Amino acid sequence: MIPMNRLGRSGLRVSSLCLGTMTFGARTEERDAAIIYARAREAGINFIDTADTYNAGKSEEIVGRLIAKERDDVVLATKAANPFGDNPNHAGLSRAWLMTEVERSLKRLDTDRIDVLYLHKEDHETPLEETVRTIEDLVRSGKIRYFGVSNHRSWRIAEIVRYCDQANITRPVVCQPYYHAMNRAIEVEVLPACGHYDIAVFPYSPLARGVLSGKYSGNTVPSDSRASASDTRLLETDFQPASIAAADKIVAHAKARGVAPTAFAIAFVLANPLITGAVVGPRTLEQLEAYLEAVDVAWTADDEAAVDAVVPPGSHAVPHFHDPRYPLEGRPTR
């Protein structure tokens, strides 16, 4: 069975693998999603992750139907902040949008509460204090039980904690950053900050959007892959020559060790003591089965050294890489 861990400062116990459902309602039809969900539950996964904007709300709708008969047995997480449609006020972390979108998510999920609401990304136009006080109102109303952050810089996490403490309200209990063996940037600031504040960490995309599975070795592009579908986020981030070359080395070590590359990549994330668990987003049942193997990998010092030799701690496989979705802020345009 999958290990259970405490979710940050909360009393919640969640599985160390969280079922991500970004593909549900798009590349994964509901019939297949039901099979994946049933197998995940059988394996001991009780943490389910979705978002309001995943496939224009379809993921939330499917997840709501899947969990309906056992709502009290799962920990349900969704998110808000990304734009939903063209209305400029249907985005961000303002009081107006959070209040509206939580209601809409509850309706799509067909539930009376959200266990964890993630602030999906930073909103530089809304004061953090406004966001924090809105979250507290949502908690006190019973519509959400806890909140977390995703894609937030460490200093903003610290500011959110400060505002929570000043207002004597609950701090965030979980952080969902981007992290894998070829993108180790969060080891510099984000992970130490979360450790200091006792915030659980559940990274997403531990497989580097599929690159660490080895599927693109030799510059091959499988017909059913995200690269063949010209997935924007993959092309912006991990589908780079340097990343593929680094992945080939990591995959070679995993195979020489007798471990499937997919399981090895997830095991790298889970082996970090500052990590609580990992979000895995299977498109197929076969992918889920491969992900489940990760919890049985016995991580060794040789494994750590092998990854460090390819991508040193705190660095990235692509020199000087910065995600275009999250621009640097240290030298603004005058």
Side-chain angles (χ1 to χ4, degrees), residues 1-24:
M1 290 292 286
I2 295 175
M4 304 289 284
N5 295 317
R6 186 172 61 89
L7 192 67
R9 293 160 58 92
S10 79
L12 282 178
R13 303 280 293 180
V14 295
S15 51
S16 60
L17 292 183
C18 172
L19 179 64
T21 64
M22 188 176 68
T23 65
F24 289 10

Side-chain angles (χ1 to χ4, degrees), residues 195-223:
H196 175 73
Y197 291 118
D198 196 11
I199 297 172
V201 183
F202 266 83
Y204 66 93
S205 291
L207 292 176
R209 297 186 166 96
V211 175
L212 280 166
S213 70
K215 67 172 68 176
Y216 300 117
S217 180
N219 294 315
T220 58
V221 179
S223 59

Side-chain angles (χ1 to χ4, degrees), residues 114-130:
I114 294 163
D115 296 315
V116 179
L117 178 71
Y118 283 103
L119 310 180
H120 205 162
K121 66 176 185 177
E122 297 175 349
D123 176 3
H124 300 172
E125 302 298 319
T126 300
L128 283 174
E129 186 176 10
E130 176 181 335

Side-chain angles (χ1 to χ4, degrees), residues 2-232:
I2 295 175
M4 304 289 284
N5 295 317
R6 186 172 61 89
L7 192 67
R9 293 160 58 92
S10 79
L12 282 178
R13 303 280 293 180
V14 295
S15 51
S16 60
L17 292 183
C18 172
L19 179 64
T21 64
M22 188 176 68
T23 65
F24 289 10
R27 301 181 70 202
T28 304
E29 295 182 0
E30 184 162 355
R31 176 187 60 186
D32 296 322
I35 295 172
I36 291 170
Y37 174 79
R39 176 66 183 111
R41 293 288 294 127
E42 179 185 52
I45 292 177
N46 75 332
F47 198 11
I48 314 299
D49 182 88
T50 183
D52 58 343
T53 54
Y54 289 169
N55 310 314
K58 291 181 181 177
S59 174
E60 284 188 328
E61 292 172 358
I62 292 173
V63 167
R65 289 191 285 271
L66 292 177
I67 69 173
K69 293 183 179 179
E70 52 175 8
R71 178 64 187 89
D72 293 337
D73 297 326
V74 299
V75 177
L76 173 64
T78 191
K79 311 178 188 73
N82 277 324
F84 205 119
D86 298 327
N87 188 321
N89 289 316
H90 288 187
L93 299 172
S94 69
R95 171 175 289 273
W97 180 235
L98 284 175
M99 288 291 192
T100 297
E101 187 60 346
V102 164
E103 293 289 357
R104 288 164 33 124
S105 283
L106 288 170
K107 184 175 181 180
R108 286 188 293 265
L109 291 162
D110 192 23
T111 186
D112 62 345
R113 81 279 188 188
I114 294 163
D115 296 315
V116 179
L117 178 71
Y118 283 103
L119 310 180
H120 205 162
K121 66 176 185 177
E122 297 175 349
D123 176 3
H124 300 172
E125 302 298 319
T126 300
L128 283 174
E129 186 176 10
E130 176 181 335
T131 299
V132 169
R133 290 191 177 279
T134 303
I135 289 295
E136 180 59 13
D137 288 342
L138 288 166
V139 170
R140 288 180 175 170
S141 72
K143 292 175 182 177
I144 70 173
R145 300 221 166 141
Y146 303 93
F147 84 105
V149 294
S150 181
N151 302 308
H152 275 58
R153 299 183 191 278
S154 56
W155 74 266
R156 283 199 177 88
I157 295 173
E159 278 290 272
I160 289 172
V161 169
R162 182 172 71 88
Y163 279 125
C164 289
D165 288 352
Q166 284 181 348
N168 194 29
I169 58 180
T170 304
R171 294 177 176 183
V173 299
V174 62
C175 175
Q176 190 182 115
Y178 190 52
Y179 183 53
H180 53 71
M182 299 187 305
N183 185 344
R184 304 179 60 177
I186 67 168
E187 294 174 354
V188 179
E189 291 279 356
V190 172
L191 288 182
C194 290
H196 175 73
Y197 291 118
D198 196 11
I199 297 172
V201 183
F202 266 83
Y204 66 93
S205 291
L207 292 176
R209 297 186 166 96
V211 175
L212 280 166
S213 70
K215 67 172 68 176
Y216 300 117
S217 180
N219 294 315
T220 58
V221 179
S223 59
D224 62 345
S225 67
R226 294 175 70 165
S228 68
S230 298
D231 181 271
T232 300

